[in-house]
Amino acid sequence: MLYYLFDYINKLYAPPGFDIFRFLTFRSALAAITGLFMAFYLGPKIIRILQKNQIGEARKDDAPKTHLSKAGTPTMGGLIIILSAVVPVLLWGELKSIYIILILAGTVWLSIVGFVDDYLKVVKKYPKGLIGRYKLLGQFVIGLVVGAVIYFSPEFSGFNTLTTVPFLKNINLDLSFLYIPVVIFIVTATSNAVNLTDGLDGLAIGVIAIVMIALALLSYVSGNAIFADYLNIIYLPGSGELTVFVAALVGASLGFLWYNSYPAQVFMGDTGSLALGGAFGILAVLIKKELFIPILGGVFFMETITVIIQKTYFKFTKKKYGQGRRVFKMAPIHHHFEMVGWAEPKIVVRFYIIAIILAIVTLVSFKIR
């Protein structure tokens, strides 16, 4: 909104300095700063509201015993992140951009799905919250919408079903008629992966911030004809506007981390984790970097794989031997490290380090193809 206001003033009166609001980098910086300070401002207020209404984390018997003390900590703090990310985009983004429309719609929709799940668990006291198939339906719907828009919209003509292949030069994979199902799978998978990772104070939000910084750079160069040509990647006219959204989300994430770091004053809940995971997947889809998700989101990928391995092996051994066995002491893997004696802050920081390394590998891969 402010972007359009300042643009109008600049065109009408051309006051000195107002031309700067046209620049994507400047607006992205403003979005990040706005998101950060909104999170700082909203954080204490929303935490007080959650505490007043006794909206706290339920006791988890399937987590390490050290987590018993976390019961009652305010949850649904994802509201802080979503509000602090969406408002700056509305202020500084180009709202007519199809890229901005899709990423905002996807993030807000999945946040609503997560909010309903949290509300049913915490307020209505339904043990499992939103029934699994309904949660999957919500993820399926937004994946279908994003995939269909990209597949059929003329704005994506010429590259709608293409995706960049990691480490290989001049090779783009055409997913053809499989494109929409692949998008649905990606959005569902990334959304659930971040949800699984959100088990330690500051873990999911910190890793998301690192991943988003890399995505901000990729969004910017993908929408810049000169940089896209230099890096030999698909040029996506208008995709640079996603940088404003990603910058706002980074600012909001860092602001939320202030309250979510150990010991956490608030948890994001599914309200935040489903939305952030979905945003990750949708961003990768929009900038045609779907195949980079296992690398850039390696921490989320690792968490998900350990859960799959644990469940599969347990069922297999129970069927074969009559008693289920486990590969890890507990899954997801961050709980395994807790069970072997690692302190929670140490696990989180080490996962941050892994996320940073993977982000660097992702960015460097464009130059070593």
Side-chain angles (χ1 to χ4, degrees):
M1 297 175 185
L2 290 180
Y3 163 66
Y4 290 108
L5 174 62
F6 290 139
D7 185 57
Y8 174 76
I9 294 173
N10 184 52
K11 289 178 179 177
L12 194 63
Y13 303 108
F18 266 60
D19 196 49
I20 196 172
F21 290 98
R22 293 191 305 106
F23 292 100
L24 183 59
T25 49
F26 184 69
R27 289 188 289 116
S28 297
L30 288 175
I33 294 169
T34 305
L36 177 65
F37 282 99
M38 276 199 67
F40 283 155
Y41 175 76
L42 292 174
K45 296 182 181 299
I46 291 179
I47 290 171
R48 281 197 295 270
I49 292 172
L50 295 173
Q51 289 173 331
K52 182 179 179 181
N53 291 277
Q54 297 183 331
I55 301 176
E57 184 77 8
R59 170 174 169 159
K60 291 185 177 180
D61 295 323
D62 57 347
K65 292 182 180 180
T66 54
H67 286 234
L68 295 177
S69 61
K70 297 179 186 237
T73 302
T75 189
M76 297 173 72
L79 292 169
I80 301 170
I81 308 168
I82 303 306
L83 290 172
S84 301
V86 171
V87 172
V89 178
L90 297 178
L91 292 176
W92 305 112
E94 187 177 340
L95 303 183
K96 297 177 183 178
S97 166
I98 187 66
Y99 290 95
I100 291 296
I101 293 171
L102 286 175
I103 191 61
L104 282 180
T107 303
V108 172
W109 173 261
L110 287 170
S111 182
I112 292 172
V113 173
F115 179 86
V116 172
D117 187 35
D118 285 336
Y119 180 81
L120 292 176
K121 279 190 293 190
V122 181
V123 179
K124 293 296 184 179
K125 306 301 180 183
Y126 293 2
K128 295 184 179 180
L130 186 63
I131 297 174
R133 61 176 177 271
Y134 294 144
K135 189 185 295 186
L136 285 172
L137 177 62
Q139 296 165 330
F140 176 91
V141 167
I142 195 60
L144 176 63
V145 169
V146 172
V149 170
I150 296 174
Y151 190 87
F152 293 108
S153 175
E155 294 193 48
F156 297 93
S157 179
F159 51 80
N160 54 352
T161 60
L162 297 180
T163 184
T164 302
V165 178
F167 303 105
L168 298 179
K169 192 174 183 179
N170 298 319
I171 296 179
N172 295 312
L173 178 64
D174 189 351
L175 296 171
S176 188
F177 61 90
L178 293 175
Y179 185 75
I180 295 177
V182 168
V183 171
I184 293 171
F185 172 77
I186 288 172
V187 173
T188 303
T190 54
S191 183
N192 288 322
V194 174
N195 184 242
L196 287 173
T197 307
D198 185 32
L200 299 181
D201 297 354
L203 177 57
I205 194 65
V207 175
I208 271 289
I210 294 166
V211 168
M212 287 297 163
I213 290 172
L215 283 173
L217 293 172
L218 293 177
S219 298
Y220 182 78
V221 299
S222 295
N224 185 295
I226 296 174
F227 288 141
D229 180 66
Y230 174 70
L231 293 172
N232 197 27
I233 59 176
I234 303 170
Y235 169 53
L236 306 168
S239 67
E241 197 63 30
L242 288 169
T243 312
V244 176
F245 171 84
V246 183
L249 191 53
V250 170
S253 298
L254 293 177
F256 180 76
L257 182 59
W258 184 270
Y259 305 104
N260 185 238
S261 58
Y262 183 85
Q265 296 171 253
V266 64
F267 299 140
M268 70 171 74
D270 285 9
T271 305
S273 61
L274 292 183
L276 293 174
F280 172 33
I282 294 170
L283 283 166
V285 166
L286 288 173
I287 62 174
K288 303 298 174 183
K289 302 297 179 287
E290 296 93 335
L291 297 180
F292 287 83
I293 289 175
I295 305 172
L296 180 57
V299 171
F300 305 130
F301 184 74
M302 174 178 63
E303 296 272 29
T304 305
I305 289 297
T306 57
V307 171
I308 294 172
I309 291 173
Q310 187 86 322
K311 288 186 175 180
T312 302
Y313 187 70
F314 185 85
K315 290 179 180 178
F316 172 77
T317 52
K318 186 173 184 178
K319 184 177 181 180
K320 187 173 183 179
Y321 303 110
Q323 183 176 3
R325 301 175 184 177
R326 294 174 174 82
V327 177
F328 307 100
K329 290 183 179 296
M330 189 174 286
I333 197 169
H334 58 255
H335 287 324
H336 170 82
F337 290 122
E338 281 189 286
M339 297 296 286
V340 299
W342 289 20
E344 185 171 337
K346 177 171 285 190
I347 299 170
V348 172
V349 171
R350 287 180 173 176
F351 275 45
Y352 285 176
I353 294 170
I354 294 171
I356 291 170
I357 293 171
L358 293 173
I360 293 172
V361 170
T362 301
L363 295 174
V364 170
S365 70
F366 291 98
K367 287 302 297 176
I368 61 174
R369 292 184 294 170

